[in-house]
Amino acid sequence: MLKTLSSKFALTTLLLMLGSLLLGFFFTNTYYHQIIKAPNDAKNVEIAKTMVAYIEQEHVKKLDDYFTMLGETGYQLYVVKDDGTKTFYGGTFRDKALETSTVESVMSGTTYHGMRDFPRETFVMGFFANELVNTIGVPFTYEGEDYALFMRPNIKLLFSEVHRILGALMLAMFVLSLIGVIVLAQTIINPIKKLTLATRDIAHENFDAPLEIERVDEIGQLANSFKRMTDQLQENDEMRKEFISNVSHDFQSPLLNIQGYATLLAQPNLTEEERAEYGEIIEIETKRLSKLTKQLLVLTTLDSSTRKPKREVFDLSAQLKDTVRKYRWQIEEHHIDFSYTIAPVMFKGDAGLLQNIWDNIIANAIKYSEEGAYIELTLEETVDDVVVTIQDTGIGMSEEALARIFERFYRADASRTKHGTGLGLPIVKQVVEKHEGHIDLTSVLGEGTTVKITLPKM
């Protein structure tokens, strides 16, 4: 594939060169016909007139010797005498066809502009056409007889050593340019080969394969982006494996409990109290599995980069009050003093996702508070934001736990979270970020925790 790319690169370059040469040829052709052709004709007319003026003024003794000399100096000549005698001097014309009327017109005193009126308008090669019609014709008189002289430069002599050197130079430039382009193509393709091999390594989860591309151009930028992508993929792969391990562990534990207590329930000699206890444990573990499954589904939805919250206006203050009422029985059961100050706020956001926040934060505040603790909930509205604060005087947490509290499956206090999943606060954080807000969590061990959630108005 890459070899084909190299060949295509070289072929494309060659075609571009040939195309440029062709376009240059047509531009030159236009320049020749529009700019050079008429002056070239006029210049040769003057040369021809100078030749015949010398004959008429200097009284050339031998006309044949004179034209022979002119032919040897670089001109092709065709001389016609009024009696019909025709003589050629210098190089031979490839095409000697010339209308009789043209010869008669020149003998009668008219100048023939064959170079200017040469019919091949499409090609600049008309300048080099070795044809008798592509000449200049002028009349002259010698020893009382009329003649017609048709003249053009000898094309063979026009290609001097300088022209050959220039031709060789152009050929050398063409060949060297092609070689240079092929070498340049290899410098581009070689890093692509390395990137291809590195891609194959990543496909086999080999994220540590070296990628030695040290460049400062676009290829180097691509290589640096590829390295960053590799690092991110490696990090995601490690997180995925850790996630699967945690999920497996969290599923395995309640399943084993359900299996074990279901086996015990099958024993015929159990008391009613034992049956009730085992049944209650199975129910608790089943609810735990159900909660874990629901939270995993929520996380999967939130992890989707294309998933955006539904922005609908709803009564946030009413939602918070309903949430507090839902947990009223737990508050009373734990003998917790719970108060709230909720301003009337209409908010534009995803009510379903935001409900996850209030459920997790309030449930955690209750779970990690001792009897007689105090919990305060406030809802405030500023010009740009809506701020929800939940403050408790519970057991708090250590600095180590605070640093890891938003990690998935992390549990700060295992004794109190044996029925938890470790997914609540990660869900809270992602829902807040989906609403372009931020969450501040501060805690002091033995004193309590404060969670402040700021959501911008839309």
Side-chain angles (χ1 to χ4, degrees):
M1 180 65 182
L2 293 175
K3 291 182 179 178
T4 302
L5 179 61
S6 178
S7 301
K8 286 182 178 180
F9 194 93
L11 179 60
T12 301
T13 303
L14 182 61
L15 290 175
L16 286 173
M17 287 181 174
L18 292 176
S20 300
L21 183 63
L22 186 62
L23 287 174
F25 176 80
F26 279 106
F27 283 131
T28 304
N29 174 68
T30 302
Y31 181 75
Y32 167 72
H33 284 294
Q34 300 298 324
I35 307 298
I36 296 178
K37 191 175 182 181
N40 182 60
D41 178 89
K43 179 185 70 173
N44 282 282
V45 167
E46 291 301 319
I47 293 173
K49 286 183 177 181
T50 300
M51 290 179 179
V52 299
Y54 182 79
I55 295 172
E56 294 176 342
Q57 294 174 10
E58 299 296 332
H59 304 289
V60 174
K61 295 182 179 180
K62 290 185 179 182
L63 191 61
D64 187 70
D65 292 344
Y66 177 65
F67 284 127
T68 300
M69 181 269 295
L70 291 175
E72 291 175 352
T73 57
Y75 292 96
Q76 292 173 266
L77 306 170
Y78 173 57
V79 181
V80 183
K81 194 176 179 181
D82 56 6
D83 62 2
T85 304
K86 304 173 183 179
T87 311
F88 289 92
Y89 301 92
T92 303
F93 287 95
R94 184 184 61 81
D95 187 349
K96 299 179 181 179
L98 188 65
E99 295 289 337
T100 304
S101 59
T102 301
V103 177
E104 293 175 350
S105 175
V106 171
M107 282 192 177
S108 65
T110 303
T111 301
Y112 172 63
H113 296 276
M115 292 183 178
R116 184 191 65 189
D117 302 328
F118 192 69
R120 296 184 183 176
E121 292 293 331
T122 308
F123 299 103
V124 71
M125 298 306 294
F127 177 77
F128 302 100
N130 187 18
E131 302 178 25
L132 191 53
V133 293
N134 190 24
T135 57
I136 294 297
V138 293
F140 71 93
T141 303
Y142 179 72
E143 294 182 351
E145 296 183 89
D146 294 329
Y147 290 83
L149 170 64
F150 296 88
M151 180 276 298
R152 67 168 285 104
N154 191 332
I155 297 302
K156 291 182 180 181
L157 296 179
L158 286 178
F159 289 97
S160 61
E161 293 300 324
V162 174
H163 294 91
R164 291 188 179 91
I165 292 173
L166 290 175
L169 177 62
M170 291 182 65
L171 179 62
M173 289 176 61
F174 179 82
V175 173
L176 292 175
S177 297
L178 187 59
I179 294 173
V181 166
I182 293 174
V183 172
L184 177 62
Q186 290 301 319
T187 62
I188 296 175
I189 292 170
N190 286 337
I192 296 177
K193 289 181 179 178
K194 293 180 180 179
L195 285 171
T196 302
L197 294 174
T199 303
R200 293 174 183 172
D201 289 332
I202 290 175
H204 292 87
E205 297 188 0
N206 181 15
F207 299 102
D208 297 323
L211 181 62
E212 298 177 356
I213 300 178
E214 301 296 335
R215 299 171 62 129
V216 294
D217 55 8
E218 287 79 1
I219 297 292
Q221 294 174 8
L222 175 61
N224 290 332
S225 298
F226 187 88
K227 291 176 182 177
R228 288 194 295 271
M229 181 195 72
T230 302
D231 294 338
Q232 186 62 50
L233 286 174
Q234 185 174 14
E235 182 179 347
N236 291 343
D237 184 65
E238 292 173 354
M239 290 175 61
R240 176 181 61 84
K241 291 176 180 178
E242 182 180 0
F243 181 80
I244 292 173
S245 175
N246 289 328
V247 169
S248 299
H249 177 270
D250 277 61
F251 268 95
Q252 186 179 22
S253 179
L255 284 174
L256 288 174
N257 286 336
I258 292 172
Q259 182 181 9
Y261 284 103
T263 302
L264 290 175
L265 279 174
Q267 295 179 3
N269 56 347
L270 293 177
T271 65
E272 289 301 321
E273 291 79 6
E274 288 174 331
R275 288 184 185 278
E277 180 184 355
Y278 297 162
E280 183 182 357
I281 293 173
I282 291 175
E283 182 183 4
I284 290 173
E285 294 298 340
T286 303
K287 289 180 179 179
R288 179 181 172 188
L289 280 176
S290 177
K291 182 180 180 182
L292 178 61
T293 303
K294 290 178 181 178
Q295 289 185 327
L296 286 173
L297 288 174
V298 172
L299 276 177
T300 301
T301 303
L302 292 173
D303 282 340
S304 175
S305 59
T306 58
R307 204 313 188 169
K308 294 184 178 180
K310 295 181 293 185
R311 296 285 184 174
E312 296 176 351
V313 178
F314 71 99
D315 191 338
L316 178 59
S317 54
Q319 186 184 57
L320 285 171
K321 289 177 182 179
D322 289 341
T323 306
V324 172
R325 280 194 292 270
K326 182 168 61 174
Y327 288 95
R328 175 62 63 183
W329 68 272
Q330 293 187 34
I331 294 171
E332 293 177 353
E333 185 179 68
H334 289 80
H335 303 288
I336 294 173
D337 184 9
F338 194 106
S339 67
Y340 61 79
T341 304
I342 299 177
V345 174
M346 300 298 294
F347 184 72
K348 187 176 183 181
D350 194 320
L353 287 179
L354 290 172
Q355 184 65 53
N356 287 282
I357 297 179
W358 321 135
D359 283 336
N360 278 286
I361 298 300
I362 294 176
N364 281 345
I366 296 171
K367 183 187 302 183
Y368 294 104
S369 294
E370 304 288 352
E371 288 192 6
Y374 175 73
I375 299 175
E376 182 181 11
L377 168 66
T378 60
L379 169 62
E380 300 173 304
E381 183 178 14
T382 66
V383 177
D384 300 317
D385 305 306
V386 170
V387 181
V388 178
T389 306
I390 297 107
Q391 184 176 7
D392 66 66
T393 58
I395 63 173
M397 66 185 77
S398 64
E399 292 184 4
E400 178 187 357
L402 190 62
R404 301 183 57 191
I405 198 64
F406 292 113
E407 293 181 14
R408 296 181 182 184
F409 299 101
Y410 177 75
R411 297 178 178 88
D413 187 347
S415 64
R416 290 177 180 258
T417 57
K418 61 180 179 179
H419 302 307
T421 64
L423 295 177
L425 286 177
I427 290 176
V428 169
K429 187 174 187 293
Q430 282 200 253
V431 172
V432 171
E433 290 175 349
K434 285 286 184 180
H435 284 79
E436 300 178 12
H438 61 273
I439 178 171
D440 296 315
L441 195 152
T442 58
S443 184
V444 178
L445 189 63
E447 295 184 13
T449 302
T450 301
V451 181
K452 183 178 180 183
I453 297 166
T454 305
L455 301 174
K457 296 179 180 178
M458 298 298 291

